[in-house]
Amino acid sequence: TSLASKVRLFDTAEVYGQGQSEQILGQFLKGTQQPVFVATKFMPFPWRLSRSALRKALESSLRRLGLPAVDLYQVHMPLPPVNIETWMGAMAEAYQAGLVSAVGVSNFDAEQTQTAYTRLLREGIHLASNQVEYSLINRRVEKNGLLKRCGEMGVKLIAYSPLAMGALTGKYSAENPPPGSRGLRFNRRWMERLQPLLRLLARMGSDHGGKTAAQVALNWVVCKGALPIPGAKTMRQAEQNAGSVGWRLSETEVVELDEVSDRFLAE
């Protein structure tokens, strides 16, 4: 359904399901002739102490995916004790060996992103992306300057959890909180405070020909210059995610969403 909707990017990681996510994606890749852009990640666990660990992890990911190379390979997070320069050196070697087409990072702050960018540039490689949490109710990357810095460097900011684990879809309310652990985080009071933003998302969706609150929330991320990667558990969700592009909120609408979001975050 995603491919039929022209969604081509699939993001995974070696630690998702302890490799199971890559295996499942690899099985699906065998069943299609359509072009698919695959992104996966290397986790710099503290016991991985040499740059050769990255190459070994990458080769294992490629075996699970059934691919000769991956389109985007990302350092999952900046963990000690090995420094960023060392991992970027290993990334450069993988890139030069033709095992990765682009190099990215994830959960890096502005300074760490600059360090990775500068190290790769020494090898003539451009840092492609930084994958971080970003949504209407988590705008840290805007407030701390990371989004702006990425734009200045030409590094694409990839936004994970752009729908805030479903909170921005409109399907939950104070009377109908999310199930499980999310219900503890998104409690009744929290959901009540979120209602003005959800009503605005619904109104804007109606103004744009019946778009859903989720589609408006995703389009807002796009308007900010970031690339949202929402999850989908059903065919319907995959179709709705694809419907978040091909149109655009106005600058006035983006500002209005910013203002209501700011009020929610300030409470």
Side-chain angles (χ1 to χ4, degrees):
T1 299
S2 294
L3 291 175
S5 301
K6 300 183 180 179
V7 172
R8 303 284 186 220
L9 168 62
F10 291 83
D11 177 79
T12 185
E14 62 171 340
V15 297
Y16 296 167
Q18 297 181 319
Q20 207 170 22
S21 175
E22 290 178 327
Q23 290 177 337
I24 293 170
L25 180 56
Q27 291 169 8
F28 280 109
L29 293 173
K30 293 176 184 177
T32 182
Q33 298 300 312
Q34 297 187 59
V36 176
F37 188 98
V38 176
T40 192
K41 307 180 195 75
F42 163 78
M43 180 62 80
F45 293 115
W47 55 85
R48 287 175 165 171
L49 298 175
S50 68
R51 56 198 294 168
S52 64
L54 185 143
R55 179 68 171 260
K56 293 176 182 177
L58 171 58
E59 291 173 347
S60 294
S61 287
L62 292 175
R63 282 195 296 272
R64 288 188 289 268
L65 290 164
L67 295 173
V70 69
D71 296 294
L72 175 64
Y73 199 43
Q74 307 152 93
V75 174
H76 208 138
M77 57 183 62
L79 291 178
V82 178
N83 61 38
I84 293 170
E85 288 91 342
T86 297
W87 292 133
M88 289 303 108
M91 280 286 197
E93 290 177 356
Y95 178 91
Q96 291 156 354
L99 298 178
V100 304
S101 298
V103 176
V105 294
S106 181
N107 300 302
F108 277 42
D109 64 22
E111 183 179 348
Q112 292 162 342
T113 304
Q114 182 69 60
T115 298
Y117 176 90
T118 301
R119 176 62 183 88
L120 287 173
L121 208 57
R122 284 168 44 192
E123 308 291 338
I125 301 169
H126 184 83
L127 180 65
S129 61
N130 185 5
Q131 184 179 147
V132 294
E133 186 172 357
Y134 183 36
S135 73
L136 271 163
I137 60 172
N138 185 336
R139 295 169 61 193
R140 284 193 295 268
V141 297
E142 274 186 69
K143 310 301 184 181
N144 64 21
L146 177 60
L147 179 62
K148 183 174 184 290
R149 181 77 71 87
C150 284
E152 292 169 346
M153 292 189 292
V155 175
K156 193 68 176 180
L157 191 141
I158 301 175
Y160 70 79
S161 294
L163 296 176
M165 295 187 290
L168 293 172
T169 63
K171 65 181 179 181
Y172 300 124
S173 64
E175 293 73 29
N176 178 38
S181 60
R182 284 181 299 169
L184 299 176
R185 177 180 174 184
F186 306 147
N187 57 42
R188 184 182 184 89
R189 171 60 183 149
W190 193 92
M191 290 302 303
E192 287 174 349
R193 292 197 299 107
L194 189 62
Q195 291 312 300
L197 181 56
L198 293 178
R199 286 194 293 269
L200 179 58
L201 289 170
R203 176 175 66 76
M204 287 185 177
S206 178
D207 292 343
H208 282 272
K211 297 297 182 182
T212 66
Q215 288 169 333
V216 176
L218 293 174
N219 195 270
W220 174 87
V221 175
V222 173
C223 290
K224 291 289 186 173
L227 173 65
I229 49 170
K233 292 183 179 179
T234 66
M235 291 171 57
R236 178 61 179 154
Q237 288 176 354
E239 291 170 343
Q240 288 190 348
N241 289 342
S244 64
V245 295
W247 58 282
R248 199 171 182 89
L249 292 165
S250 69
E251 291 184 14
T252 300
E253 289 173 320
V254 171
V255 169
E256 188 175 0
L257 283 166
D258 285 353
E259 291 172 347
V260 176
S261 167
D262 282 334
R263 287 198 291 271
F264 168 79
L265 294 171
E267 292 182 16

